[in-house]
């Protein structure tokens, strides 16, 4: 039996330490067979006997079940839709992004024309239509800028350009609305397609862009294509419109000069859009600035110069759809001008004429008279635009 006796004891005011030495009897050293029964109580007794222990094999062993990540599931990236991929590629994913944005903008303008002709249920005054579109453009551009965290009025150093873009842009719109009411439709369309030519000339003067011979030749080829397309119709409309009192004498000259003034200011607007978009690094700000000025100005002209017409439900839906398309077209136009040289980007806008003629031929709405001249005009525009795309984007001078 083990005996214990204190060996050393150290006392302190706060600490007492006592060492005890335990001696084993000789009987404890003889082995477990000669140990007395009292020593067996000090041994560790297993909880289960040998015959009570469970047999464990690989089939009965329990494994810890790992939780999947989340329960540690690895979250895979959300699949990006093809529409999002295409939009990102057009916006900034290709060296042809500027030309692609201009082509899509022209396509959207054509879709607006088709929607307006197809769903024109109720005649709406032009300034009321302009007010509705400018309001939608203003709201959507404001929401866009707020969502991406951009200041809605743009950086301070770009505000003069933004104000100039808004004022000149609405001046061009205002004069175009008056000219389209006083001039034959084909003549107003031809004057409106002088915008790319005027924009290239203004870019040479204002932005000091280099205007190469190939650029001049491409623009001239495209504009001659427009003349071939609308030439026969233009002659007929002008000849029949001379009988109209509004187009006699000086009235026709004033209307023509007003349309030409709209084209000149439209070309200057393209230059201001490009300069403001590059200065603010955000093309949507140029769209918002235009809506901020054009919306109240169009409202004043709507109530002072025209009689307000309450649109029906179907007409209201078509006006909202046209406003959405106009916003997308304006944003793509601003983005294309921001990325590309103006003379190249503006030449792509003539693709709208070709698409319009192809749509008329495919649906049977095109007149049979002057078919050859329209085909020649479409070929001239396609050759010019194809050459612009083939030459590729150019590095514009700052």
């Amino acid at each position: 039996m083990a005996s214990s006796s204190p060996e050393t004891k150290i006392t302190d005011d706060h600490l007492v330490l006592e060492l005890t030495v335990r001696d084993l009897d000789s009987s404890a050293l003889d082995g477990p067979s000669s140990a007395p029964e009292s020593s067996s109580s000090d041994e560790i007794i297993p909880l289960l006997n040998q015959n009570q222990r469970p047999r464990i094999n690989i089939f009965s062993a329990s494994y810890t079940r790992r939780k999947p990540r989340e329960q540690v599931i690895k979250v895979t990236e959300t699949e990006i839709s093809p529409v999002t991929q295409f939009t990102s590629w057009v916006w900034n994913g290709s060296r042809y992004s500027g030309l692609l944005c201009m082509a899509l903008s022209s396509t959207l303008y054509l879709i607006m024309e088709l929607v307006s002709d197809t769903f024109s249920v109720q005649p709406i005054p032009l300034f009321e239509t302009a007010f509705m579109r400018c309001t939608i453009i203003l709201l959507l551009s404001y929401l866009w800028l707020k969502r991406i965290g951009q200041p809605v009025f743009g950086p301070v150093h770009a505000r003069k350009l933004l104000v100039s873009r808004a004022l000149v842009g609405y001046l061009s719109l205002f004069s175009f609305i008056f000219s389209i009411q006083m001039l034959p439709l084909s003549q107003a369309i031809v004057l409106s397609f002088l915008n790319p030519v005027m924009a290239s000339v203004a870019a040479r003067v204002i932005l000091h862009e280099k205007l190469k011979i190939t650029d001049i030749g491409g623009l001239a080829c495209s504009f001659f294509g427009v003349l071939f397309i609308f030439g026969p119709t233009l002659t007929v409309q002008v000849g029949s419109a001379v009988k109209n009192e509004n187009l006699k004498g000086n009235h026709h000259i004033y209307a023509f000069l007003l349309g030409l003034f709209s084209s000149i200011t439209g070309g200057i607007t393209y230059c201001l859009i490009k300069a403001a978009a590059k200065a603010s690094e955000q093309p949507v700000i140029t769209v918002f600035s235009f809506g901020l000025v054009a919306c109240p100005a169009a409202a004043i002209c709507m109530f002072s110069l025209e009689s307000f017409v309450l649109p029906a439900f179907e007409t209201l839906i078509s006006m909202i759809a046209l406003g959405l398309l106009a916003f997308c077209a304006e944003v793509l136009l601003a983005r294309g001008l921001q990325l590309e040289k103006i003379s190249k980007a503006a030449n792509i806008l003539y693709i709208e004429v070709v698409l319009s003629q192809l749509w008329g031929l495919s649906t049977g709405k095109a007149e049979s008279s002057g078919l050859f001249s329209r085909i020649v005009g479409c070929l001239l525009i396609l050759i010019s635009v194809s050459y612009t795309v083939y030459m590729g984007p150019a590095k514009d001078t700052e």
Side-chain angles (χ1 to χ4, degrees), residues 164-289:
S164 301
R165 178 266 181 272
L167 293 175
V168 178
Y170 183 74
L171 192 61
S172 175
L173 175 64
F174 181 83
S175 55
F176 175 75
I177 291 176
F178 271 104
S179 66
I180 203 173
Q181 290 176 332
M182 301 171 64
L183 288 174
L185 181 60
S186 295
Q187 192 170 355
I189 292 175
V190 170
L191 287 176
S192 68
F193 277 103
L194 273 174
N195 281 359
V197 179
M198 297 299 178
S200 301
V201 176
R204 180 69 182 93
V205 176
I206 299 174
L207 303 179
H208 306 287
E209 285 189 354
K210 293 181 179 180
L211 195 59
K212 299 180 180 179
I213 299 297
T214 54
D215 299 332
I216 299 174
L219 290 169
C221 184
S222 296
F223 187 71
F224 277 118
V226 173
L227 292 179
F228 269 98
I229 291 173
F230 293 101
T233 309
L234 182 63
T235 305
V236 173
Q237 286 186 353
V238 171
S240 61
V242 172
K243 300 177 182 180
N244 192 344
E245 295 182 357
N246 293 331
L247 295 176
K248 285 183 179 179
N250 295 332
H251 292 283
H252 182 268
I253 297 176
Y254 291 152
F256 179 83
L257 291 177
L258 195 59
L260 185 61
F261 177 75
S262 174
S263 299
I264 295 173
T265 52
I268 297 174
T269 301
Y270 286 177
C271 298
L272 294 175
I273 289 174
K274 180 181 182 65
K278 292 179 74 68
S280 61
E281 299 181 354
Q282 179 54 253
V284 185
I285 295 181
T286 64
V287 181
F288 175 77
S289 64

Side-chain angles (χ1 to χ4, degrees), residues 23 39 83 112 124 177 190 200 225 229 252 289 306 330 332:
D23 295 332
S39 63
V83 177
M112 289 173 59
I124 301 295
I177 291 176
V190 170
S200 301
I229 291 173
H252 182 268
S289 64
E306 297 174 341
E330 287 290 329
L332 288 172

